[in-house]
Amino acid sequence: MLPKPVLGCALLLGLAACTTAGPVPGTVEYAAATVSRGYDCGLSVDRGRIIARLGKQERASFLAANASYAVKSYKAPHRCGNAERERVQGALAVLSRR
């Protein structure tokens, strides 16, 4: 049996991973989070084109998730660095071609 301090540290690490992990790439939630982050970074986002490439069921999920991310972003806006800006810009390009 492991000592209590070791178990406590393992629990804290597990909880930290849960709170820092974002949506899984390829999901509608990931697309919504990327669009929201694009706005945060001051990028030009063709949201309509991204939505047009989604299926009917996915559109509703995207709009709900995007609204949720927009509210979170509005409450806690922050800028992004050049590396993150380039990553988000690339992800947006892929989403609009999907």
Side-chain angles (χ1 to χ4, degrees), residues 16-97:
C18 290
T19 59
T20 59
V24 177
T27 63
V28 175
E29 292 78 15
Y30 176 80
T34 302
V35 166
S36 179
R37 193 65 189 132
Y39 287 125
D40 288 347
C41 292
L43 296 170
S44 175
V45 179
D46 192 350
R47 188 171 172 259
R49 188 173 189 165
I50 293 170
I51 291 172
R53 299 198 180 286
L54 298 173
K56 188 175 183 177
Q57 293 261 341
E58 292 177 316
R59 287 180 188 153
S61 297
F62 174 87
L63 293 173
N66 193 236
S68 172
Y69 286 116
V71 168
K72 290 177 188 174
S73 176
Y74 179 75
K75 289 182 178 179
H78 61 282
R79 299 192 181 274
C80 54
N82 287 335
E84 183 181 11
R85 182 182 172 92
E86 288 176 18
R87 183 192 59 78
V88 171
Q89 194 168 23
L92 288 170
V94 170
L95 288 171
S96 63
R97 287 190 301 251

